[in-house]
Amino acid sequence: MKVLIIGLRVGAGLISMCQAVKEKLDLAGCETIYTDLYANNKAQDNLNAEVYYKMAKCFPRIMSFGQNIAYKIALKSKKRHFLLGHEIKSAQKELKFFLEQNKPDVVFTNVQFVAFALDKLIDEGGFQGDYYFQTPDFMVPYYTQTMRHAKCIFSSCEEVTQLLIQKGCAVKIITTGIPVSSSFENLPPAKDLCEKLGLPDTNNILISNGGAGFGSNKKLVENICPYLGNYRLIVINGNNTVEKEKIEKFIMEKKVKNVVNLGFVKNMPEYMAVSGVMLGKCGGSTLSEASSCELCFIAYDNKLFPEIRNIKYLKQKNAAFVVRHAKDAERIIKQFLSDNRPFVEKKKNFSHINLRNAAQRISDIICADYKAKKPW
């Protein structure tokens, strides 16, 4: 079975979910090809990624307000908004190339307008295989209920499954959870990881603003340092080199010893595994990964969409502390450092927000469906 897996660079989490599923399908003996939708269209790829990042950094509340209104309209609709037409048409053009080049039996994607484009191609006879869609957040993505030809929608949680059913979704839905890399499932003992990372113990507070490095951590680092005691901060700035340099300057000037200041890292599972608390943004992938490491999570409400919907889910589950400003984050971290007992229940709830082994479950379903369709 040949499986084409399609992600999108605009979200590092989207890519990591796709890679997690690819890994399991590879182990099952499938031939898999991963591609970014706009791998052959750099202009569109840069437009999608760079424009989104710039708008999200400059106008988060305005952007979020508009997206939230659009989302409420989308949930009530049985037809896709005409403004989606451009994205679907653009996706169709790229998809035709990948389908002709690779001739897959199955397509897996977590990008909803790729799924909509596949619907149109199937209507036109441009694709005769099956496609599967994964909901990448703890919410129903825009117009998902209007998908017509998906073999199955893999849902992130039972609440999303029930809402899709309620909204009249016509295709099969299975609650699988959000796929995370097996590197989060097979970690060495924390003591060994500490030794590898050059850390004396697991008394670590992890601060991460995602791969793009949204937001500023310098003031928070400055204000928390005096209260750390035998704890230390691990700050992951992602691709935000400006912020990393500011924190580095503070460390040098004040001769700070209990802050580990990093840029973009590829071994995030290891840093999560040696930390007791994490302050981070609320993408579906980050939350699922942190949940698998059973961290106590402090969620940054940075007003980005769809993260505000993920935050709503966390609040419903009493699974995280939610902060809007650095002052709030500072207050919660200081509270943890003085008495971590109030954190126990939230940590337990957070560890259950995502189903374990989602990638394996997805791989098993895809393989079983293909076997039923074409016995080996």
Side-chain angles (χ1 to χ4, degrees):
M1 173 174 61
K2 184 184 277 192
V3 185
L4 177 63
I5 301 170
I6 303 175
L8 196 64
R9 185 171 71 92
V10 72
L14 295 176
I15 297 171
S16 65
M17 290 176 210
C18 286
Q19 294 292 355
V21 173
K22 182 182 187 304
E23 182 181 20
K24 296 299 183 183
L25 287 168
D26 286 340
L27 289 172
C30 303
E31 182 184 350
T32 62
I33 305 104
Y34 171 79
T35 186
D36 185 284
L37 176 64
Y38 295 116
N40 298 323
N41 188 343
K42 294 302 178 186
Q44 185 67 43
D45 182 42
N46 288 331
L47 180 68
N48 274 20
E50 305 306 328
V51 170
Y52 173 79
Y53 288 143
K54 285 176 182 176
M55 287 184 67
K57 284 182 177 181
C58 296
F59 313 107
R61 281 173 169 74
I62 295 172
M63 189 173 172
S64 175
F65 179 75
Q67 287 176 312
N68 204 32
I69 291 173
Y71 180 71
K72 288 176 180 177
I73 294 170
L75 265 184
K76 296 177 182 177
S77 179
K78 293 185 179 180
K79 291 185 178 180
R80 296 164 201 158
H81 198 278
F82 72 93
L83 289 176
L84 277 174
H86 172 72
E87 280 188 305
I88 295 171
K89 191 173 181 180
S90 175
Q92 266 186 282
K93 182 181 176 182
E94 305 301 325
L95 276 171
K96 282 179 181 176
F97 171 80
F98 292 126
L99 293 173
E100 288 170 7
Q101 183 185 52
N102 298 293
K103 296 181 171 50
D105 302 296
V106 170
V107 175
F108 171 88
T109 187
N110 51 14
V111 183
Q112 73 264 37
F113 59 84
V114 171
F116 300 151
L118 284 163
D119 271 349
K120 294 205 75 167
L121 286 172
I122 290 169
D123 286 338
E124 297 165 2
F127 179 55
Q128 285 78 44
D130 294 325
Y131 85 83
Y132 295 81
F133 175 71
Q134 166 74 50
T135 64
D137 291 281
F138 296 101
M139 57 165 274
V140 175
Y142 287 95
Y143 300 100
T144 302
Q145 71 273 15
T146 67
M147 288 180 190
R148 293 178 287 108
H149 297 305
K151 180 74 174 177
C152 183
I153 293 173
F154 297 130
S155 165
S156 52
C157 59
E158 190 58 31
E159 286 82 355
V160 166
T161 299
Q162 293 305 317
L163 187 54
L164 281 170
I165 293 169
Q166 178 191 325
K167 295 299 177 182
C169 186
V171 302
K172 182 169 71 173
I173 310 158
I174 298 176
T175 306
T176 59
I178 292 175
V180 300
S181 169
S182 62
S183 57
F184 284 90
E185 301 165 2
N186 306 309
L187 287 163
K191 183 180 177 182
D192 295 344
L193 285 175
C194 285
E195 189 175 335
K196 177 184 175 182
L197 298 171
L199 300 168
D201 52 46
T202 58
N203 288 342
N204 303 303
I205 297 170
L206 180 63
I207 300 176
S208 173
N209 287 345
F214 285 112
S216 173
N217 293 315
K218 179 176 177 286
K219 194 68 178 175
L220 178 63
V221 170
E222 288 178 357
N223 292 344
I224 289 294
C225 274
Y227 300 92
L228 284 172
N230 63 342
Y231 274 79
R232 70 196 58 77
L233 293 178
I234 300 174
V235 186
I236 298 178
N237 297 283
N239 291 319
N240 192 340
T241 54
V242 173
E243 193 63 23
K244 183 177 183 293
E245 287 168 7
K246 286 180 182 178
I247 296 172
E248 200 63 45
K249 185 179 178 182
F250 164 74
I251 291 170
M252 297 293 288
E253 288 178 353
K254 302 296 181 181
K255 296 181 172 56
V256 175
K257 302 292 184 184
N258 50 2
V259 176
V260 179
N261 186 38
L262 304 167
F264 186 89
V265 300
K266 293 185 177 180
N267 57 338
M268 193 66 172
E270 296 176 351
Y271 284 106
M272 284 188 180
V274 297
S275 301
V277 179
M278 178 176 176
L279 169 66
K281 60 195 289 290
C282 291
S285 180
T286 297
L287 292 177
S288 302
E289 291 165 356
S291 173
S292 70
C293 291
E294 300 185 358
L295 286 162
C296 182
F297 199 81
I298 304 172
Y300 243 141
D301 185 0
N302 51 14
K303 297 300 177 186
L304 294 177
F305 202 91
E307 293 180 18
I308 53 173
R309 290 283 161 175
N310 289 336
I311 287 171
K312 185 177 180 181
Y313 180 74
L314 290 176
K315 287 179 177 178
Q316 287 171 350
K317 297 292 182 181
N318 188 31
F321 292 91
V322 178
V323 298
R324 290 193 174 186
H325 308 288
K327 280 285 183 187
D328 294 336
E330 182 184 326
R331 176 178 53 81
I332 297 294
I333 292 173
K334 285 179 182 177
Q335 183 183 340
F336 172 81
L337 292 167
S338 63
D339 180 9
N340 62 15
R341 285 175 296 179
F343 289 70
V344 173
E345 184 182 358
K346 279 185 166 58
K347 180 179 177 180
K348 181 181 177 182
N349 294 341
F350 185 71
S351 70
H352 296 306
I353 64 163
N354 190 46
L355 297 173
R356 299 293 188 269
N357 301 313
Q360 185 63 62
R361 200 172 294 115
I362 289 166
S363 172
D364 290 345
I365 292 167
I366 292 173
C367 290
D369 284 349
Y370 185 73
K371 189 173 182 180
K373 186 177 179 180
K374 293 185 177 180
W376 298 344

